[in-house]
Amino acid sequence: VWVDEFEAMGLADCVDTTWKRAKVQFTEGEEAVCLDRQYGRVDRRRLKKRLLDGCVRSGVLFHAAKARGVSHTDGWRSCLQCDDGSELFGCAVLDGTGHSRALVEFEGEFDPGYQGAYGVMIEVEKGHPFELDTMFFMDWRDDHLEDDPDMLARNASLPTFLYTMPFSETRIFVEETSLVARPAVPFPELKRRLVKRLDKLGVVVKEVIEEEYCLIPMGGVLPRMPQRVLGLGGTGGMVHPATGFMIARTLGAAPLLVDGLERELARARGEAAAALPTGTPREEVLARVDMGEVTARVWEGVWPAWRLQQREFFNTGMDILLRLGIDSTRSFFAAFFKTSTYNWQGFLSYRLTLVELMGFGIEFFAVGDWRMRRFTTVSALPGLVTLIQKLLTSGFSRQVGITEGADNGVRWKRGEGGNFSAEMRNSLADKEKELPRMTADERP
């Protein structure tokens, strides 16, 4: 993750290793591009413990079973059916099951691109060529494939890059990654390319400590909005369609979703109680609550119009990347990282509004070479036509009463070095103070 994103959410203690900068290499002999932005590795166990401890402190009850289905028994209650035969009742169901799409319903056929990666944490015998204070974000060189014409040709049409995190003089994590393809580049092909790359770099593997197979669906249709089941993370459409990043977007959206649900429940319950005689039993008040309306407002808070516009723009970026070979991919990212720090960081971190993205697109086109301009112009046209059609027909608007500003607490303000941490923390703290809270007796 980018360290500033986790610092902004107060999760810096869940990053176990950091690198001062990231680096991108396009061809052999060409000077690498240095990205002056700290990168970090998330300690998954520490983050999980942090989140679970918060659940325990808040009185969350756990039930160990697999969810098999959900039904909505009346206007305000939902029933979750489990594989152990039990049924759990509540006012709302939140689906965080990744891309299984078990409970959340989608607008149409799910046809994403796929980011595939094969990686290993290894101990090496004779050292390695990587700088310990720099992570290799992208290495697009292909000279290691010159002795295998078939693989070189496959890489020319379906390019992959090396992603590297050095931990010591003898321990590194290396990963061969296909940024996006449809269908996915097979794992055996990724592994073979990685082996040839390590041979070229003179890296001799002493021990494989961990092995990673990664397949991330990117883009595709969003969940149907609104619907009674709420979605977060992969099942909520929060994977960046052009990069595969998700964790910061999901962790940033979680409090918006939960606070929005609590706020809307309190509002709906108050309206229902006001329409009934004083002293009406709690169950009768809750029976008047329309959870369909409540969850519609929550969906809108998580996916306001500007977020939908942003995602459509990112989908256009993914469509371009799906069409690029190795040479045009290099030209694409050479131009991408020549744009302003505000723009390329904002694009990677889900921060730019549609207007800002249009400005990014103009700058991107201006700094790119002729190859990039030609390919992106041809490849982007279908997506841009769709984007314009949706704007003209208000295809991004679901008029359910939530303003776009519901998500502004995690927006990035332009500033020196792109440091938005303090502003984001303060904004979220102010939002926390403003939210109405239900007491234990008031909770459904």
Side-chain angles (χ1 to χ4, degrees):
V1 297
W2 300 109
V3 173
D4 54 9
E5 294 178 339
F6 261 48
E7 287 177 342
M9 293 183 287
L11 296 173
D13 61 320
C14 295
V15 176
D16 62 12
T17 309
T18 61
W19 294 268
K20 289 182 179 180
R21 65 187 68 86
K23 186 165 69 173
V24 178
Q25 184 88 40
F26 299 112
T27 59
E28 184 65 31
E30 183 180 10
E31 186 177 355
V33 175
C34 285
L35 309 177
D36 190 19
R37 189 182 188 188
Q38 275 194 309
Y39 201 81
R41 185 182 73 161
V42 176
D43 186 322
R44 291 170 293 181
R45 292 181 178 85
R46 194 181 301 170
L47 177 60
K48 182 177 181 179
K49 184 178 186 302
R50 170 89 172 262
L51 298 175
L52 286 176
D53 286 349
C55 291
V56 171
R57 287 195 303 272
S58 299
V60 173
L61 300 178
F62 295 86
H63 182 81
K66 291 183 178 180
R68 292 301 188 196
V70 63
S71 59
H72 308 293
T73 56
D74 50 40
W76 74 274
R77 280 196 308 179
S78 295
C79 174
L80 189 69
Q81 295 91 33
C82 301
D83 66 346
D84 61 358
S86 61
E87 293 184 331
L88 306 177
F89 291 87
C91 62
V93 174
L94 173 61
D95 185 353
T97 57
H99 292 281
S100 65
R101 292 173 284 123
L103 304 177
V104 166
E105 297 175 359
F106 283 72
E107 293 178 342
E109 183 180 353
F110 190 61
D111 185 27
Y114 291 93
Q115 182 171 119
Y118 170 79
V120 283
M121 178 77 79
I122 54 177
E123 284 285 337
V124 300
E125 288 187 355
K126 301 177 182 179
H128 57 77
F130 305 108
E131 303 164 80
L132 294 183
D133 64 349
T134 304
M135 70 84 55
F136 226 133
F137 191 60
M138 288 177 169
D139 182 354
W140 293 101
R141 290 177 290 185
D142 63 354
D143 55 301
H144 59 289
L145 303 177
E146 290 176 351
D147 63 347
D148 189 333
D150 290 340
M151 189 176 290
L152 182 65
R154 292 195 299 273
N155 188 73
S157 59
L158 288 174
T160 58
F161 64 91
L162 179 68
Y163 171 99
T164 306
M165 295 186 291
F167 294 92
S168 71
E169 296 288 352
T170 59
R171 178 171 293 195
I172 53 175
F173 176 79
V174 288
E175 187 172 67
E176 192 74 19
T177 303
S178 164
L179 183 57
V180 62
R182 186 191 290 137
V185 176
F187 288 124
E189 174 74 5
L190 293 170
K191 185 174 183 178
R192 286 192 291 268
R193 294 189 192 184
L194 179 61
V195 169
K196 292 188 74 66
R197 196 186 290 272
L198 294 180
D199 286 344
K200 174 70 175 181
L201 293 170
V203 174
V204 179
V205 178
K206 179 180 179 181
E207 179 187 2
V208 175
I209 300 167
E210 294 179 6
E211 190 173 34
E212 177 179 288
Y213 294 86
C214 179
L215 187 65
I216 305 173
M218 295 163 55
V221 296
L222 282 171
R224 178 174 56 79
M225 302 182 209
Q227 60 179 293
R228 287 281 294 271
V229 178
L230 299 169
L232 188 68
T235 198
M238 294 180 182
V239 176
H240 196 304
T243 68
F245 286 157
M246 180 189 72
I247 187 169
R249 163 77 167 120
T250 299
L251 291 173
L256 293 170
L257 188 152
V258 175
D259 289 342
L261 178 60
E262 185 175 31
R263 180 177 62 250
E264 292 304 322
L265 275 171
R267 179 196 57 78
R269 186 176 183 276
E271 291 177 356
L276 294 169
T278 303
T280 298
R282 179 173 177 270
E283 289 292 318
E284 291 185 26
V285 174
L286 291 174
R288 296 289 190 97
V289 173
D290 182 356
M291 282 305 300
E293 179 183 349
V294 168
T295 53
R297 290 173 177 269
V298 176
W299 273 110
E300 180 73 3
V302 176
W303 281 103
W306 76 269
R307 279 287 190 199
L308 296 174
Q309 295 164 355
Q310 179 194 65
R311 190 178 189 275
E312 196 66 36
F313 191 97
F314 291 157
N315 272 335
T316 301
M318 183 190 75
D319 289 339
I320 293 173
L321 292 169
L322 282 168
R323 292 171 169 83
L324 301 184
I326 183 63
D327 290 334
S328 48
T329 295
R330 289 169 177 153
S331 296
F332 181 96
F333 282 104
F336 181 88
F337 289 114
K338 284 180 183 177
T339 62
S340 69
T341 300
Y342 179 83
N343 277 337
W344 73 256
Q345 290 191 8
F347 187 98
L348 294 179
S349 297
Y350 254 122
R351 296 177 192 147
L352 303 182
T353 65
L354 181 61
V355 172
E356 290 171 324
L357 284 168
M358 292 299 186
F360 158 80
I362 293 171
E363 182 186 12
F364 173 76
F365 193 82
V367 300
D369 63 19
W370 65 269
R371 182 186 294 107
M372 186 280 301
R373 292 174 182 172
R374 184 186 67 184
F375 274 94
T376 54
T377 299
V378 173
S379 301
L381 279 177
L384 289 176
V385 169
T386 300
L387 183 64
I388 292 170
Q389 286 176 339
K390 288 189 176 183
L391 287 171
L392 293 176
T393 59
S394 299
F396 295 114
S397 177
R398 296 180 305 276
Q399 298 178 359
V400 293
I402 294 292
T403 65
E404 294 183 21
D407 206 11
N408 284 347
V410 292
R411 295 301 314 289
W412 187 29
K413 290 184 69 176
R414 192 184 298 264
E416 183 178 356
N419 188 338
F420 67 109
S421 302
E423 294 160 353
M424 184 173 174
R425 279 197 298 269
N426 293 338
S427 180
L428 289 174
D430 292 341
K431 188 180 292 293
E432 182 79 10
K433 295 173 185 176
E434 297 168 1
L435 290 171
R437 298 289 176 181
M438 288 189 288
T439 66
D441 292 337
E442 292 176 325
R443 296 181 188 276

